[in-house]
Amino acid sequence: MNFPIWPEQASTFATEVDNIAYVLIGLTIFFTVAVMLALMFFAIRYRRGAKVDRSNPVHTSHTLELAWSVPPLIIALGVFAWSVVPYASVYNPPKDADEVYVIGKRWMWHLQHADTGIRENNELHIPINRATKLTIISQDVIHGFYVPEFRVKRDAIPGYYNTCWFQPTKVGKYFLFCTEYCGTNHSQMGGWVYVMSAADYAQWEKQKGRKSGSFEAKATTPADEGEALFRQYGCGNCHTATDTARAPSLVGLYGKERTFTDGSKVPADRNYLRKAIIMPENTLLKGYGTVTRMPSYKDLSEDDINQLIAYIQSLGAVTSAPKVATTDTTSAATPSSRGAQPTRNLP
Ligand code: CUA
């Protein structure tokens, strides 16, 4: 008879998470049973009318109090110390993880592979034994990205990039749930994660992506799409290859420390960049006057914002000033933090 208590263990987190859960459940059962048995024993033995010795009742017993305080404290702290390591690791994706952008919206999951630009709806194809990092955001209300077999769950929150990661250990097809009640079709908001062997995945990627080698590029990278948007919206009219009095350069911006008019500082990470694009009035930098001249791009979709941020990331972190500052679309800046990436033009 097949009666699984737990879902299949299909990621590197699964065993550890399950062990912690087993121990917590075991401890809970043990203490519940112990307390209930003691309760029943005393209720029956000292019930009204029972002939028992009620003289000399105990009012204080330090031994007893220590016995029910210290061991549970040690057990609780032990479980905490044990679980804090895997808990923290869920929040720290390995540096070489493959990134996938996840956008939750009513009522579907939209996913895009950051390296190839391959897009998927309600499906995610990933290779086995490779760390996959998810950068998750919601386009409307709170959704929850949940794959039980991986023991991974993270909320998709409007206006904030959440991350998580996992490394699948078994080839297979796993259901992807939305675990936040997000309206009428919440129950239909699901999909499948396909974990493939390295060879199968390479084949799939080839079919779907620009790595096909054919002239027919099926997917463009997010950075390329971001560059197209950058041109389309004329961002280059103000954001040139070097800082000007009008606007800061985007070259080497990613991760750089930004100083606001009130003196507070923040690194230019994804969440900062998103805010700076859609609410520039709230990210006014020191040295650029008291009113922002940048219009708000709040009508951009989360997907467009992802592409723009990917473009900014692709402009890298520059140590020396770029060579050319011009709006000429053919001139090249000198950014290249990503070695494999071709040098990009700042339009
Ligand atoms: Cu999305 Cu529930």
Side-chain angles (χ1 to χ4, degrees):
M1 190 180 71
N2 182 24
F3 182 72
I5 298 174
W6 268 198
E8 208 181 322
Q9 298 181 329
S11 88
T12 50
F13 295 138
T15 316
E16 193 84 33
V17 169
D18 288 1
N19 289 344
I20 294 169
Y22 277 129
V23 167
L24 283 175
I25 291 168
L27 285 169
T28 308
I29 291 172
F30 174 79
F31 283 105
T32 307
V33 169
V35 168
M36 292 317 287
L37 284 179
L39 193 148
M40 286 191 286
F41 172 77
F42 288 119
I44 293 165
R45 184 177 159 90
Y46 292 96
R47 72 190 185 280
R48 184 156 54 171
K51 291 206 169 16
V52 280
D53 178 13
R54 295 175 201 271
S55 64
N56 195 23
V58 178
H59 288 291
T60 311
S61 168
H62 290 302
T63 320
L64 207 55
E65 285 175 24
L66 285 173
W68 73 51
S69 304
V70 177
L73 178 72
I74 293 171
I75 293 169
L77 287 178
V79 173
F80 170 76
W82 175 31
S83 51
V84 81
V85 178
Y87 182 83
S89 91
V90 175
Y91 281 88
N92 288 298
K95 289 268 180 294
D96 64 341
D98 299 329
E99 189 172 8
V100 174
Y101 305 139
V102 181
I103 299 173
K105 45 187 156 187
R106 285 179 291 180
W107 286 274
M108 62 169 295
W109 293 104
H110 179 73
L111 304 106
Q112 186 183 25
H113 297 257
D115 53 348
T116 54
I118 297 171
R119 293 170 178 280
E120 305 191 64
N121 286 330
N122 296 330
E123 282 190 353
L124 174 62
H125 291 76
I126 45 172
I128 189 171
N129 296 332
R130 288 270 313 151
T132 296
K133 174 193 170 185
L134 305 177
T135 298
I136 310 173
I137 198 162
S138 164
Q139 178 112 7
D140 36 48
V141 298
I142 300 179
H143 303 276
F145 185 102
Y146 179 39
V147 183
E149 285 83 356
F150 298 165
R151 309 294 188 273
V152 158
K153 175 188 181 299
R154 188 69 85 242
D155 277 356
I157 299 169
Y160 179 80
Y161 291 110
N162 235 344
T163 59
C164 74
W165 73 282
F166 50 83
Q167 181 164 323
T169 52
K170 264 184 203 164
V171 167
K173 183 182 170 189
Y174 306 104
F175 199 75
L176 159 62
F177 290 86
C178 173
T179 48
E180 294 291 350
Y181 179 61
C182 55
T184 317
N185 290 333
H186 158 69
S187 62
Q188 329 257 296
M189 184 170 168
W192 294 97
V193 177
Y194 296 86
V195 176
M196 309 166 92
S197 70
D200 286 351
Y201 183 73
Q203 185 63 28
W204 177 85
E205 209 179 30
K206 216 170 158 184
Q207 269 170 19
K208 293 272 180 180
R210 54 159 26 192
K211 286 181 177 173
S212 59
S214 79
F215 291 104
E216 204 187 335
K218 290 172 195 157
T220 46
T221 66
D224 287 336
E225 286 186 38
E227 185 172 346
L229 287 166
F230 187 87
R231 288 173 199 277
Q232 184 190 328
Y233 289 103
C235 310
N237 293 338
C238 298
H239 295 284
T240 53
T242 48
D243 289 343
T244 59
R246 201 173 161 81
S249 165
L250 303 183
V251 177
L253 176 70
Y254 194 79
K256 204 172 170 182
E257 193 176 70
R258 309 270 77 193
T259 309
F260 296 133
T261 41
D262 66 356
S264 58
K265 294 173 195 294
V266 72
D269 58 10
R270 293 187 73 82
N271 280 307
Y272 163 80
L273 290 173
R274 184 184 177 281
K275 201 172 159 192
I277 293 168
I278 66 163
M279 293 184 283
E281 67 279 9
N282 290 344
T283 54
L284 190 58
L285 296 176
K286 201 172 184 174
Y288 290 92
T290 49
V291 185
T292 181
R293 275 168 287 183
M294 180 171 156
S296 162
Y297 290 91
K298 63 178 187 303
D299 294 333
L300 287 176
S301 67
E302 291 302 339
D303 191 58
D304 284 349
I305 297 171
N306 270 339
Q307 318 300 306
L308 280 169
I309 294 175
Y311 172 60
I312 294 170
Q313 283 176 313
S314 77
L315 295 172
V318 179
T319 44
S320 58
K323 273 184 275 188
V324 202
T326 165
T327 51
D328 180 353
T329 51
T330 56
S331 67
T334 56
S336 64
S337 70
R338 300 206 288 180
Q341 286 279 320
T343 307
R344 289 202 157 270
N345 295 336
L346 191 72

